[in-house]
Amino acid sequence: MAGKVTFEQLSCNDEHHQIGVAILDNPESLNALTFEMLIQLNQQLLDWQDNDQIVCVVIKSNSEKAFCAGGDVRTMHQMMSEKSKQEAQDFCTTYFSLEYQCDYLTHTYPKPVIAWGEGIIMGGGMGLFMGASHKVVTPKSRLAMPEVSIGLFPDVGGTWFLNRLESGVGLFLGLTGTMINANDATELHLADYLLLEDHQTILLTLLRSTQWFSANDHYSVINELLEGLTQEAQAHKPPPQISTYLPRIEFACRGADLAHIWQGILDIQPTDPLSNEGKWLENAQRSMLGGSPITAHIVYRQIKHYHDLSLADCFKLELGLAVRSGVLGEFQEGVRARLIDKCGDPNWMFESIYDVDSKVIDTLFSPLWPTDKHPLAELGKY
């Protein structure tokens, strides 16, 4: 798969500071992150954090269609299909380790990071986006963690950020994999600012013309710049979708176990089946029914059992889950059916959530490496 990240250092008017801009450039795959792209982005972020001239970083894409639609699952499918289990495991370990390190770096970056989330933001794109200190969406933005449809699970820090949403919402988004719009993203605090597409150029101009003083003030300066642009965008907010159903989603996700929660979500009735939010709800329910039963059980445990993990420990947990998923077969089958053959009908290992062997889920969550040998052992130490 082709793909690269291009970088710019925009000089500020004070001639002492610069704005670092990283541009995701893989348009044929909606800016899906190849391993090479992750190498480039991770290294440049490391370089910029030690460069005193760089006051903040902007991560954006070269396309209005998508910020980033996910990770390079097509290459993963090729490895899982054509290589031995050990080779597939090694590739998944290498790829996901770097991806999670890059995501963790954005979460813990010592300088402001503005993610310009225009268009589709899914999966691996959410990993980068959620780590930014300033998360911007536009009226056309669509956000999702759709892994249930391909037999993976909400990774890239999903264990962390889904657990920090309003009660029930993270579980609902993980089980259904449904998309939410820019209005709901800001209401749920998955995004910080709703701006118009034309504001990107204006924002970069404002950043360059700002007088930058104490590094401690950089975050608040950027807050003010973004806040000043939001008023114009309010008239262009898309109508709410998930917001209409929040009380019912919370109630459904209070169920005693996955089976009760599953049925509770299916029992939610649309306020108006023909309305925008009514169709959105039905699509979410349909997506859940067609998703991987194994993924559903993983999501349930992520939310119910790992709420209190630190950010670093969330990534460590997810790495083991991702690598084990890479050799289990469910992920491979989901990608084949949804993205390669596009038949839309995966042959999941279990017919429904009620048939899933709990031992399979226990194995997926079991440690793959000794603690001191974990590929992400150094994460969170410094």
Side-chain angles (χ1 to χ4, degrees), residues 70-371:
D72 188 4
V73 296
R74 291 177 180 272
T75 297
M76 291 180 206
H77 178 269
Q78 182 180 357
M79 294 296 295
M80 292 182 287
S81 303
E82 300 177 1
K83 304 296 183 179
S84 67
K85 280 196 172 185
Q86 187 59 55
E87 288 173 308
Q89 177 171 316
D90 291 344
F91 176 80
C92 287
T93 300
T94 301
Y95 179 91
F96 286 118
S97 292
L98 179 58
E99 183 178 27
Y100 297 173
Q101 285 172 333
C102 193
D103 292 337
Y104 185 81
L105 180 58
T106 61
H107 274 277
T108 58
Y109 209 63
K111 300 177 181 182
V113 176
I114 303 170
W116 187 269
E118 186 171 352
I120 293 171
I121 313 169
M122 296 195 303
M126 284 288 287
L128 283 180
F129 187 75
M130 293 305 298
S133 60
H134 298 78
K135 297 177 281 292
V136 178
V137 289
T138 73
K140 295 180 181 178
S141 297
R142 297 291 184 273
L143 291 72
M145 292 299 288
E147 289 79 8
V148 67
S149 67
I150 57 171
L152 191 56
F153 64 95
D155 65 329
V156 293
T159 310
W160 172 265
F161 61 78
L162 291 181
N163 264 309
R164 275 144 189 85
L165 301 180
E166 291 186 39
S167 179
V169 173
L171 184 54
F172 179 87
L173 293 179
L175 289 175
T176 63
T178 192
M179 281 191 171
I180 62 171
N181 64 26
N183 188 335
D184 288 329
T186 53
E187 289 296 318
L188 295 174
H189 304 295
L190 283 168
D192 302 313
Y193 300 94
L194 172 61
L195 304 184
L196 299 179
E197 288 81 2
D198 294 344
H199 285 153
Q200 182 183 147
T201 301
I202 297 172
L203 176 61
L204 289 173
T205 300
L206 289 172
L207 291 171
R208 297 178 72 178
S209 60
T210 293
Q211 293 294 313
W212 300 98
F213 298 105
S214 169
N216 294 330
D217 298 329
H218 291 175
Y219 291 90
S220 59
V221 168
I222 294 172
N223 288 342
E224 291 179 12
L225 293 178
L226 291 168
E227 195 63 46
L229 295 171
T230 58
Q231 191 60 43
E232 186 182 348
Q234 296 310 300
H236 301 270
K237 290 170 66 173
Q241 295 173 321
I242 193 173
S243 301
T244 306
Y245 300 103
L246 285 180
R248 279 169 279 183
I249 288 172
E250 180 182 2
F251 179 78
C253 292
R254 278 195 229 139
D257 53 28
L258 177 59
H260 284 88
I261 291 168
W262 183 272
Q263 190 57 52
I265 291 174
L266 294 179
D267 288 342
I268 300 174
Q269 296 296 313
T271 50
D272 177 0
L274 299 179
S275 67
N276 179 274
E277 65 266 23
K279 293 176 181 177
W280 173 87
L281 175 64
E282 290 179 352
N283 286 336
Q285 293 167 329
R286 191 179 304 115
S287 176
M288 184 177 76
L289 286 169
S292 161
I294 287 178
T295 298
H297 279 268
I298 295 175
V299 173
Y300 177 79
R301 288 204 192 183
Q302 282 179 278
I303 301 301
K304 296 295 185 178
H305 295 183
Y306 295 98
H307 183 276
D308 297 325
L309 282 188
S310 68
L311 176 63
D313 285 340
C314 284
F315 281 115
K316 292 173 186 177
L317 172 74
E318 290 173 4
L319 182 60
L321 278 169
V323 174
R324 288 194 182 279
S325 296
V327 297
L328 178 66
E330 189 87 335
F331 178 31
Q332 178 182 340
E333 172 61 13
V335 175
R336 179 202 65 78
R338 306 288 193 197
L339 301 176
I340 306 300
D341 296 342
K342 297 183 179 179
C343 64
D345 188 21
N347 182 23
W348 300 127
M349 292 178 65
F350 300 97
E351 289 191 12
S352 75
I353 62 163
Y354 308 102
D355 303 316
V356 174
D357 185 348
S358 61
K359 292 180 181 178
V360 172
I361 310 302
D362 291 340
T363 299
L364 287 171
F365 276 89
S366 64
L368 188 54
W369 308 276
T371 301

